[in-house]
Amino acid sequence: MTTSTVVLALAVFGASAVEMVEALTIVTAAGVTRGWRSALEGTMVAVVVLAALVIAVGVPLARLVPINVLRVVIGALLLVLGLDWLRKAVLRASGHKAVHDEDAIFAKTVADLSTGSATEAASAPAGSWRHGRRDATGFTVAFKGVFLEGMEVVLIVITLGASSGHLALASGAAGCAAVVVCVVGYLVARQLSEVPENAMKLAVGIMLTSFGVFWVGEGSGLHWPGSDLMILVLVGVFALTAFVLSLAMRRVRPSPRAAATGSVPSK
Amino acid sequence: MTVVVRAVAAFARFWKGFLIGDAPELFVGTLVFVGAAMALRHHGAAAVVLLPAIVILFLAGSVLRGRDRS
């Protein structure tokens, strides 16, 4: 197994885990308020649709498009995604952006769904929507949550998998992340805020950015010194950059506009 | 609005959100990076130093801009 394969598997696993935590929050909220049957059915349908997308788009992409064109396009996509994750992670780590709070998202989703369910409960036999009957809202909310969060995972699996010729490995890493997050989610119940999401996002952002830089270079005909080992060097360079930026941004005051609107979290 | 038009609009919105989102400078930076990679592909050592430097420059700029919009 080469260095790039290991980093690829780690990047897909990490990215998938982060997105799965967000999806799990929504599914749990839908399950608790609208009943688990519909929430789990919505989740399963979304997973099947996402897997079909990987097969329908990823396999032809890897077989039909010339590898260098694929690497430039996919490298650029990874760069856009990775830089965005890095930017947000640095802003969160330095206190300039509110940390993603899964507890708050869970509470808001439960409140939204409870409002709808109270109205329905009044017109339906008591508790009937909770016990065995299908619930369209619970299904839709779980489906949308898993599908939308999963789209980013699909993009990462397709881009990393197709351009490296390891689509099966990338899909496997995403599948492992789903299983791990579900097991951890089950064990910690609703305490999803305990998951170090920002640190994971920072690590994945660094890996995606490194892959993006490496593949755009490879695809455009540049020969990186050390070949695949250069990915590790790039990971080190961008990790150092993120660390220095986070430290530097802690010393930078929020802009007067951001402070005036109260959008910057108080430390 | 037909289902097809709505689907196309949703598809376009997804890609706009994915590529540009709330940090258009990173999209511009990526385009600059791809252009630089094409231009520097035969310049070995210079490319190896300059390409990551371009990325770092745009990231730092975007983080600084981000504090205004957070």
Side-chain angles (χ1 to χ4, degrees), chain A residues 76-77 79-81 83-84 86-87 90-91 96 155 209 213 216 220 222 225 230 234 237-238 241 245 249 252-255 257-258 263, chain B residues 14-15 18-19 22-23 25-27 30 33-34 37-38 40-41 44 47-48 51-52 55-56 59-60 62-64 66-70:
Chain A
L77 284 176
L79 203 50
V80 169
L81 189 61
L83 283 174
D84 193 43
L86 258 184
R87 181 184 70 93
V90 168
L91 286 171
H96 285 275
L155 273 170
T209 305
V213 169
V216 170
S220 58
L222 175 69
M230 189 63 195
L234 289 170
V237 167
F238 292 123
T241 303
L245 275 176
M249 286 303 288
V252 175
R253 287 186 179 183
S255 71
R257 191 161 56 97
S263 55
Chain B
F14 169 78
W15 280 103
F18 180 77
L19 292 173
D22 55 355
E25 67 276 8
L26 291 179
F27 179 64
T30 302
F33 176 81
V34 172
M38 295 289 180
L40 294 170
R41 64 190 155 169
V48 170
L51 291 179
V55 172
I56 291 168
L59 176 64
S62 181
V63 166
L64 267 176
R67 93 189 159 111
D68 294 331
R69 290 167 294 162
S70 304

Side-chain angles (χ1 to χ4, degrees), chain A:
Chain A
M1 197 177 260
T2 62
T3 311
S4 65
T5 315
V6 174
V7 180
L8 177 142
L10 285 175
V12 173
F13 183 89
S16 305
V18 169
E19 298 298 335
M20 301 288 174
V21 167
E22 294 177 14
L24 186 63
T25 305
I26 297 167
V27 172
T28 308
V32 166
T33 51
R34 312 292 302 198
W36 284 101
R37 179 178 177 174
S38 297
L40 291 176
E41 282 175 353
T43 304
M44 294 303 289
V45 173
V47 169
V48 170
V49 173
L50 290 170
L53 266 176
V54 171
I55 295 166
V57 180
V59 174
L61 208 63
R63 288 188 181 162
L64 300 177
V65 182
I67 189 71
N68 281 342
V69 175
L70 199 63
R71 283 186 170 167
V72 170
V73 174
I74 276 169
L77 284 176
L78 287 176
L79 203 50
V80 169
L81 189 61
L83 283 174
D84 193 43
W85 281 31
L86 258 184
R87 181 184 70 93
K88 284 178 184 161
V90 168
L91 286 171
R92 283 184 179 130
S94 56
H96 285 275
K97 191 175 174 69
V99 175
H100 207 255
D101 187 349
E102 295 300 338
D103 283 347
I105 294 169
F106 179 83
K108 185 183 179 304
T109 312
V110 166
D112 290 348
L113 288 170
S114 297
T115 311
S117 66
T119 315
E120 283 173 37
S123 59
S128 60
W129 52 270
R130 279 182 186 273
H131 301 288
R133 275 181 61 176
R134 288 198 166 88
D135 177 76
T137 308
F139 179 92
T140 309
V141 168
F143 177 83
K144 278 180 80 175
V146 175
F147 185 75
L148 293 177
E149 300 297 344
M151 273 305 284
E152 224 158 287
V153 175
V154 166
L155 273 170
I156 292 167
V157 167
I158 289 175
T159 51
L160 283 174
S163 56
S164 65
H166 290 106
L167 195 59
L169 176 76
S171 306
C176 284
V179 172
V180 168
V181 169
C182 286
V183 170
V184 172
Y186 178 76
L187 292 176
V188 302
R190 294 178 209 166
Q191 293 172 326
L192 292 169
S193 59
E194 298 296 317
V195 177
E197 200 181 333
N198 200 49
M200 286 167 71
K201 226 161 189 171
L202 182 70
V204 174
I206 289 167
M207 285 192 263
L208 294 182
T209 305
S210 305
F211 266 110
V213 169
F214 182 80
W215 273 334
V216 170
E218 284 259 298
S220 58
L222 175 69
H223 296 290
W224 293 103
S227 194
D228 279 3
L229 281 176
M230 189 63 195
I231 293 175
L232 287 182
V233 176
L234 289 170
V235 166
V237 167
F238 292 123
L240 185 66
T241 303
F243 178 70
V244 170
L245 275 176
S246 296
L247 281 184
M249 286 303 288
R250 279 182 197 162
R251 295 165 188 266
V252 175
R253 287 186 179 183
S255 71
R257 191 161 56 97
T261 55
S263 55
V264 176
S266 55
K267 283 187 264 186

